Amino acid sequence: MTKLLVLNTGGTIAMNENHSTGTVSPTNTNPLKEVVGLFDYIGQVAIEDVFSLPSPHITEVHMLRLQERVIEACDQGYDGVVITHGTDTLEETAYFLDLTLDLPIPLVITGAMRSSNEIGSDGLANLRAALIVAASPNSIGKGVLVVMNDEVHTAAYVTKTHTTNVATFQTPTFGPIGLVSKSQVLYFQNHLHQEHYKLDHVGKSVCLLKSYAGMDGRLIDAVRMSGADGLVIEALGAGNLPPQTVEAINRCLADKLPVVFVSRAFNGVTQDVYDYDGGGKRFRQAGVIFTTGLSGQKARMKLSVLLNAGVEAENLSSYFEL
């Protein structure tokens, strides 16, 4: 029988609602452990609490611990691993693991938008779907997968798009790569590109800023002077900024601080098209790194992983062209 391991990290999927106040809080016992037997028809399921944290509390230190536990699970003979996680930072943990693990078994991350005792709770349905995906041989080699609302997304591009809707996780521009139907997963896209970096420590400081009309260089200079190791900016349009930011960006580049641009737009990719003061063409010529389809939080995670993996600043651009 297929051996599956569920690693719980906390989040709404492992919380309960106080019906008198409407607040949602962690519980003393993980409610998922009470129902894991429901999934015996999928495989032999073991569940383990790695930690019990709301996802805003998750750091890259926790992500590295998860990475190490997943590697152990492979060595222990598990055929697939599911991680339950709070949804606020789920996409970042998923991408961290996608960048730092090259697995011979499926790794799936799921969560819930409604706690276990709320009407319309989605936790059990998402866990069931995730286990089906993790148990499928067709999921091998597809990288880390995020399964929510019966959709299968790649870790690289999925993002949370709604604060409360159960259909919150979407993949802008590209869409999901598969669907869970009854007791099987159906794939209709391939994840064409995967990249993996050996990582056994974290600690680099990478900041993320969002651009806006009339933005000047004060925040950019503050990041540079804080001792940060890298900066990601959600730029305007395809990769532009107000002209008041140019000198601050140039100071970052002169100090060898890597600067990466993504677009603050929901769909599309960055391109160095516009040749004016603050235009993407001039920023790229100056040494700013452009990405292809990554969100701000994903680009920040990738830059952090690359720096922690020891990639030199002058070589970073080629890694974002992958």
Side-chain angles (χ1 to χ4, degrees), residues 19-35:
H19 294 305
S20 61
T21 64
T23 57
V24 177
S25 307
T27 59
N28 293 328
T29 59
N30 181 359
L32 294 177
K33 289 185 174 180
E34 301 173 6
V35 297

Side-chain angles (χ1 to χ4, degrees), residues 78-91:
Y78 284 100
D79 301 301
V81 176
V82 172
I83 296 172
T84 60
H85 197 289
T87 58
D88 284 351
T89 61
L90 183 152
E91 63 197 85

Side-chain angles (χ1 to χ4, degrees), residues 6 8 29-37 47-49 127:
V6 177
N8 173 53
T29 59
N30 181 359
L32 294 177
K33 289 185 174 180
E34 301 173 6
V35 297
V36 69
I47 186 165
E48 175 184 320
D49 291 332
L127 180 56

Side-chain angles (χ1 to χ4, degrees), residues 143-161:
V144 176
L145 300 170
V146 173
V147 175
M148 296 280 290
N149 201 40
D150 285 341
E151 293 184 341
V152 184
H153 298 264
T154 62
Y157 299 113
V158 69
T159 191
K160 185 175 181 178
T161 66

Side-chain angles (χ1 to χ4, degrees), residues 9-83:
T9 70
T12 300
I13 194 170
M15 295 183 184
N16 281 332
E17 180 187 51
N18 183 317
H19 294 305
S20 61
T21 64
T23 57
V24 177
S25 307
T27 59
N28 293 328
T29 59
N30 181 359
L32 294 177
K33 289 185 174 180
E34 301 173 6
V35 297
V36 69
L38 293 174
F39 306 118
D40 288 345
Y41 70 97
I42 300 174
Q44 181 183 339
V45 181
I47 186 165
E48 175 184 320
D49 291 332
V50 183
F51 30 80
S52 182
L53 294 171
S55 66
H57 295 192
I58 298 289
T59 68
E60 289 172 46
V61 173
H62 297 108
M63 297 175 194
L64 186 61
R65 182 178 170 190
L66 270 177
Q67 180 228 59
E68 294 166 348
R69 183 63 188 96
V70 172
I71 292 172
E72 289 177 3
C74 289
D75 295 338
Q76 292 168 341
Y78 284 100
D79 301 301
V81 176
V82 172
I83 296 172

